[in-house]
């Protein structure tokens, strides 16, 4: 394996392989909830969650680790709010004990957690807003399970950080991987997919081809439009 290919794989592994206990989707939701509660600095009286469709699919019926069988998005949120340690990220509820589990059940019974589908094209997109005593805090994670891209306290933006790459080469690798991944997901769902693609820069397309070949995924369900051909339409 040449060095460029090795580095590309290494960058993806650094992004994707993180210590976690159990299925990453409910753990990531718990991490977002724990981070929102920590930012609010008090126990929330109300919690509202916005999640992408893919995240709903992967987390709705899944057991939340270390909760004695509690399932679903609301349970993940409650676990993060009540007993999560945001500093531990995807291990944020690793230290939950019996007393915490009782507190999580009691919090769920209060019916203060609401949720809805967010209007996002991202596979992973999760926003948690918490409120108490007239104050509020908001955390948004996107693209990756620990990637907090937006923080607000009392409706004032604290941070708003786009996903950054170290180099153009790294961007091309990630962009190619994401395009290929969306093609694969659509194929797995038995759906057609359409892209409007730029014809400059072009470096990501070799990685699209590379990953699709590695995964043995055809493009018979893919439709593309070249962006610049329609610039004057």
């Amino acid at each position: 394996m040449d060095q460029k290919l090795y580095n590309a794989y290494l960058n993806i592994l650094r992004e994707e392989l993180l210590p976690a206990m159990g299925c990453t989707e409910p753990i990531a939701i718990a991490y977002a909830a724990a981070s929102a509660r920590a930012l609010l600095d008090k126990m929330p009286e109300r919690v509202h969650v916005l999640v992408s469709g893919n995240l709903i699919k992967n987390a709705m019926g899944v057991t939340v680790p270390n909760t004695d069988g509690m399932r679903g998005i609301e349970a993940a949120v409650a676990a993060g709010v009540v007993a999560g340690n945001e500093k531990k990220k995807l291990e944020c509820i690793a230290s939950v004990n019996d007393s915490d589990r009782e507190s999580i059940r009691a919090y769920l019974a209060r019916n203060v957690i609401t949720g809805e589908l967010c209007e996002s094209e991202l596979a992973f997109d999760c926003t948690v807003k918490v409120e108490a005593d007239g104050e509020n805090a908001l955390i948004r994670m996107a693209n990756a399970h620990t990637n907090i891209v937006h923080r607000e306290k009392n409706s004032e933006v604290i941070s708003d950080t786009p996903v950054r790459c170290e180099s153009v080469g790294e961007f091309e690798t990630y962009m190619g991987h994401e395009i290929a991944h969306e093609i694969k997901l659509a194929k797995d769902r038995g759906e057609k997919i359409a892209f409007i693609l730029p014809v400059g820069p072009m470096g990501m397309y070799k990685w699209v081809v590379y990953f699709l070949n590695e995964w043995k995924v055809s493009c018979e369900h893919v439709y593309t439009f070249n962006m610049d051909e329609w610039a004057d339409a």
Side-chain angles (χ1 to χ4, degrees):
M1 183 181 295
D2 63 49
Q3 190 63 39
K4 186 174 182 180
L5 182 58
Y6 174 82
N7 289 337
Y9 269 121
L10 193 60
N11 286 334
I12 292 169
L13 289 172
R14 284 171 177 160
E15 178 72 21
E16 298 293 338
L17 296 183
L18 295 169
M21 48 176 305
C23 180
T24 50
E25 271 73 14
I27 291 292
I29 293 170
Y31 169 51
S35 299
R37 184 218 59 221
L39 185 59
L40 184 64
D41 200 26
K42 62 183 71 177
M43 185 58 64
E45 298 168 352
R46 292 172 298 280
V47 184
H48 188 65
V49 190
L50 291 164
V51 286
S52 56
N54 192 67
L55 187 52
I56 291 175
K57 174 179 70 70
N58 291 336
M60 180 169 286
V62 176
T63 298
V64 181
N66 212 19
T67 62
D68 196 24
M70 297 182 213
R71 292 176 178 269
I73 293 171
E74 289 187 1
V77 171
V81 164
V82 173
N85 180 349
E86 79 285 354
K87 294 179 181 178
K88 293 187 176 181
K89 296 188 176 183
L90 295 185
E91 297 176 290
C92 63
I93 55 175
S95 300
V96 170
N97 55 38
D98 288 339
S99 177
D100 293 328
R101 282 184 275 273
E102 288 302 314
S103 296
I104 293 167
R105 291 188 183 94
Y107 195 79
L108 281 169
R110 291 170 55 189
N111 294 317
V112 297
I113 302 171
T114 57
E116 63 181 298
L117 175 69
C118 69
E119 296 181 3
S120 173
E121 296 182 358
L122 298 176
F124 185 94
D125 200 331
C126 175
T127 297
V128 179
K129 183 177 182 179
V130 293
E131 299 177 78
D133 299 329
E135 295 188 296
N136 62 77
L138 182 146
I139 292 287
R140 181 190 177 206
M141 293 197 308
N143 287 334
H145 294 89
T146 60
N147 188 38
I148 294 177
V149 297
H150 189 85
R151 290 179 174 89
E152 288 184 18
K153 178 71 178 289
N154 295 327
S155 301
E156 293 186 9
V157 176
I158 296 172
S159 63
D160 189 66
T161 308
V163 179
R164 298 184 183 275
C165 295
E166 297 297 326
S167 65
V168 173
E170 185 176 319
F171 166 79
E172 291 173 348
T173 305
Y174 280 124
M175 188 68 174
H177 180 269
E178 290 303 303
I179 294 172
H181 185 57
E182 289 300 318
I183 291 171
K184 182 179 184 301
L185 289 176
K187 182 72 171 179
D188 292 342
R189 295 191 301 264
E191 298 176 353
K192 296 178 181 180
I193 190 168
F195 294 93
I196 300 176
L197 299 173
V199 294
M202 302 279 284
M204 61 277 201
Y205 298 129
K206 62 185 178 185
W207 292 108
V208 176
V209 173
Y210 172 79
F211 287 114
L212 290 176
N213 284 336
E214 284 292 302
W215 300 333
K216 296 180 172 58
V217 175
S218 76
C219 289
E220 61 187 357
H221 62 302
V222 180
Y223 297 83
T224 65
F225 299 87
N226 293 336
M227 184 184 299
D228 297 71
E229 291 182 6
W230 298 91
D232 297 327

